[in-house]
Amino acid sequence: MAWLELFNLTKTFPGVRAVDDVSLDLDRGECLALMGENGAGKSTLIKILAGAIQPDSGEIRIKGDPVSFPNPVAAQQGGIGVIYQEFNLIPDLSIRDNLFLGRDLTRRGGWLRRTEETDQALEILEKVGLSGINPETTCRRLTVAQQQLVEIARAFIADAKLIVMDEPTAALTTRETTCLFDLIDELKSHNIGIIYISHRLEEIERVADRVAVLRDGALVAEDPVEKMGRATLIEHMVGRKLESEFPERGENRSADIALRVRGLTRGTKVRDVSFELQAGEILGLTGLVGAGRTELARLIFGADRPDSGSIELHGVPVSFQSPRQAIRAGICLLTEDRKQQGLILNHPVVENFGLPNLRDFSRGPFLNLAGEARSFDHYVDKIGIRTTGRRQPAGTLSGGNQQKIVLAKWLQRNAEVLIFDEPTRGIDVGAKYEIYKLIQELAAQGKAILFISSELPETLGMCDRILVMREGRLTGEISDPETATQVDIMELAVHDPKGSE
Ligand SMILES: Nc1ncnc2c1ncn2[C@@H]1O[C@H](COP(=O)(O)OP(=O)(O)OP(=O)(O)O)[C@@H](O)[C@H]1O
Ligand SMILES: [Mg+2]
């Protein structure tokens, strides 16, 4: 008998059966990967397990005994720790307070408990690769990657027997991801079970012992990882064969320089960065977390002002005081932090899609709602946005489908220079392919694209050229991604530009 058993769990939301008669089990010390397209029901299933939502029917057993988790605290006491897809940290509290939130470890109050907690926090933070960080730091000041690690630390502290991770590496780059995998190995050796959700196939092959695939809420396959090859896995997820992960490259670069950046500098985050982006080019920008890629994008987009340096659009010097000016001049930025993209969660998806595109859909003083709906449907179809209808509130879409809405908003915008910061984060493998194709179509139309990504395979598979950043500087360029390898990029990403070579 396995430690955890799920029997015939079902959960229906208006218009959709999110989890459909799912039975699964998991032993301690084992890592089960849960896979499936955006909206397949992965998060819903683990929310049931976490006591965050109640199933319509079905049963959960632990060590053979039926249990019920009417709320998240009950699940936590049952030994289940969950790291959610959407961050759950309270931004204005310190790391330490977030770690111990809702846990009254000792009834002893005051500074004694605080010092104990601080000590324990330091120990755990070091374990998750956050050594050297002050536990008093407010979480708002952490990078996305650091927040993720604090979430993981919190599950450790709760002394979980089973840790569920819903896309834990979505915001981590190669190095942090490697650390996390080592950590998972260690947890397994301490007899802790892991349910691991991710859209990245390489990760599944690295960490998981078994893989279960959900499709439209139902369990469609379950096998040891080594038995289920990558092609079969994809086929189970998308329900069709995918010939390749990346669309065929086209050569769309023209002599026209769409964007020229010279000596761009802001503090120590961006230091003396110069490059050119041709019309029709897909230029990759990669590096470790904190390398300065997002900061660079913000400077170009007018979200921050540079200390020095210049920007030219089609040979004309520009200096933006705000993103609004940049947008007007034809630059778009899809930021990595999707929450700040301002999806209005209780508004229908179609309105969220149309919101920033009002100009495209307005005829004189009237909104062209039919045009908006048509365009929306086009993207729903193209990248497989799963909704129960145009009027579904954006907040009830699955994580990946919310991101698809944000992405569609920008894809459909008529800009000359498009900056995509981690465009496929959290997007399922089938939809990724369609997004790559859409980005390539934009390039074929002569748009210039700056493609920021931490995922090296997609950077190599998609870009005409790749720039690598480290500590605010460009450390190198890969001019022929077709023959380059991930190792080539990593070498540039860790290379010390000032060091002796
Ligand atoms: N509170 C809710 N109200 C209505 N529908 C919901 C709600 N929560 C989830 N759904 C629907 O249930 C389905 C499954 O969503 P879920 O979040 O479990 O998907 P997922 O597999 O985690 O996808 P992703 O990979 O995008 O995170 C989706 O169709 C989603 O729109
Ligand atoms: Mg999810």
Side-chain angles (χ1 to χ4, degrees):
M1 177 189 32
W3 187 77
L4 172 77
E5 295 165 297
L6 309 178
F7 292 100
N8 310 102
L9 288 175
T10 294
K11 176 73 190 179
T12 308
F13 292 114
V16 58
R17 178 159 294 201
V19 174
D20 188 2
D21 198 26
V22 172
S23 300
L24 267 178
D25 56 35
L26 182 83
D27 253 319
R28 296 185 62 180
E30 182 191 27
C31 178
L32 172 73
L34 197 54
M35 312 235 14
E37 287 183 293
N38 297 129
K42 306 177 296 293
S43 295
T44 306
L45 181 64
I46 64 140
K47 280 177 188 161
I48 294 173
L49 188 56
I53 58 178
Q54 298 306 312
D56 303 334
S57 57
E59 192 173 71
I60 303 173
R61 287 184 204 161
I62 289 180
K63 293 196 279 190
D65 295 329
V67 291
S68 85
F69 297 143
N71 54 55
V73 175
Q76 202 177 70
Q77 283 163 355
I80 292 170
V82 180
I83 296 154
Y84 283 107
Q85 189 167 13
E86 308 86 18
F87 293 136
N88 262 328
L89 300 175
I90 300 182
D92 288 320
L93 289 187
S94 70
I95 296 177
R96 189 202 53 226
D97 289 344
N98 265 291
L99 286 178
F100 292 96
L101 200 69
R103 302 180 46 74
D104 43 344
L105 269 187
T106 53
R107 283 275 170 205
R108 273 173 294 161
W111 66 268
L112 187 60
R113 197 190 75 204
R114 288 177 91 76
T115 27
E116 256 172 39
E117 286 182 354
T118 303
D119 288 348
Q120 203 182 344
L122 281 170
E123 193 188 312
I124 299 275
L125 289 173
E126 192 179 330
K127 262 201 195 149
V128 299
L130 274 177
S131 44
I133 203 158
N134 184 348
E136 300 297 327
T137 317
T138 50
C139 285
R140 181 185 297 289
R141 296 185 43 216
L142 302 178
T143 65
V144 178
Q146 289 170 328
Q147 292 183 32
Q148 188 78 269
L149 292 171
V150 173
E151 292 260 15
I152 293 168
R154 189 159 67 168
F156 289 152
I157 287 200
D159 190 27
K161 307 282 185 292
L162 165 69
I163 299 184
V164 183
M165 302 185 182
D166 196 352
E167 301 191 39
T169 61
L172 309 185
T173 50
T174 324
R175 196 178 44 184
E176 284 103 342
T177 301
T178 311
C179 284
L180 175 67
F181 291 165
D182 293 345
L183 218 60
I184 290 178
D185 287 342
E186 200 186 313
L187 289 170
K188 280 167 61 180
S189 73
H190 285 93
N191 221 11
I192 292 174
I194 311 276
I195 295 182
Y196 189 91
I197 300 179
S198 171
H199 291 290
R200 297 183 183 163
L201 303 174
E202 314 83 62
E203 295 186 351
I204 300 307
E205 287 158 8
R206 162 71 179 80
V207 295
D209 303 301
R210 248 186 329 139
V211 50
V213 182
L214 289 183
R215 195 172 150 63
D216 297 328
L219 186 72
V220 292
E222 194 205 332
D223 254 322
V225 170
E226 62 277 8
K227 257 183 79 184
M228 193 169 338
R230 198 179 272 213
T232 327
L233 184 57
I234 293 177
E235 213 180 318
H236 281 310
M237 280 195 286
V238 261
R240 65 191 149 86
K241 276 206 166 65
L242 212 60
E243 281 86 48
S244 66
E245 276 183 66
F246 304 102
E248 192 100 14
R249 286 165 194 272
E251 179 51 82
N252 300 309
R253 284 180 280 187
S254 77
D256 180 21
I257 306 290
L259 174 75
R260 177 180 283 124
V261 166
R262 279 211 199 100
L264 215 56
T265 299
R266 180 180 164 93
T268 55
K269 293 280 192 190
V270 178
R271 297 191 268 188
D272 195 22
V273 169
S274 304
F275 67 90
E276 289 172 355
L277 171 60
Q278 292 161 259
E281 181 173 40
I282 303 177
L283 176 63
L285 179 61
T286 190
L288 303 175
V289 157
R293 298 166 304 173
T294 296
E295 286 78 5
L296 176 60
R298 289 176 58 86
L299 289 181
I300 298 171
F301 190 55
D304 294 320
R305 234 74 54 229
D307 301 335
S308 57
S310 66
I311 302 170
E312 286 174 19
L313 269 187
H314 293 288
V316 181
V318 289
S319 154
F320 303 126
Q321 301 304 310
S322 68
R324 181 185 291 254
Q325 288 181 1
I327 292 172
R328 216 175 282 139
I331 299 187
C332 270
L333 168 67
L334 170 88
T335 68
E336 68 174 329
D337 190 352
R338 302 296 144 76
K339 280 216 168 148
Q340 285 181 12
Q341 295 276 316
L343 276 185
I344 306 178
L345 295 178
N346 55 2
H347 277 223
V349 277
V350 67
E351 286 177 15
N352 272 284
F353 168 76
L355 213 56
N357 301 321
L358 286 183
R359 207 151 22 129
D360 302 329
F361 298 121
S362 51
R363 284 203 207 116
F366 302 105
L367 279 180
N368 174 4
L369 292 176
E372 178 182 280
R374 241 195 330 274
S375 176
F376 176 72
D377 290 346
H378 168 77
Y379 283 102
V380 165
D381 183 50
K382 251 306 217 285
I383 54 179
I385 301 174
R386 188 169 306 216
T387 69
T388 52
R390 294 174 195 145
R391 308 294 307 167
Q392 183 176 2
T396 63
L397 250 54
S398 78
N401 282 305
Q402 290 186 12
Q403 292 184 21
K404 287 180 185 174
I405 299 283
V406 175
L407 192 65
K409 286 201 307 203
W410 291 108
L411 284 171
Q412 95 107 43
R413 190 166 208 119
N414 208 3
E416 287 307 307
V417 175
L418 292 122
I419 307 174
F420 293 111
D421 199 351
E422 308 285 0
T424 64
R425 175 182 292 168
I427 303 278
D428 67 59
V429 56
K432 264 187 195 172
Y433 184 85
E434 297 304 324
I435 287 165
Y436 296 146
K437 268 205 333 219
L438 286 170
I439 291 178
Q440 280 200 345
E441 278 166 27
L442 291 171
Q445 291 162 21
K447 316 279 189 200
I449 289 152
L450 188 61
F451 188 89
I452 305 179
S453 172
S454 304
E455 281 192 62
L456 302 183
E458 76 171 13
T459 309
L460 289 165
M462 275 293 289
C463 299
D464 297 310
R465 260 185 323 138
I466 300 169
L467 303 175
V468 185
M469 257 183 117
R470 178 183 190 260
E471 290 178 8
R473 293 176 202 275
L474 290 183
T475 50
E477 175 182 325
I478 290 181
S479 52
D480 190 3
E482 249 171 306
T483 56
T485 65
Q486 299 192 31
V487 177
D488 297 332
I489 296 184
M490 283 313 291
E491 272 169 6
L492 292 170
V494 298
H495 167 77
D496 184 354
K498 290 160 296 176
S500 55
E501 277 250 301

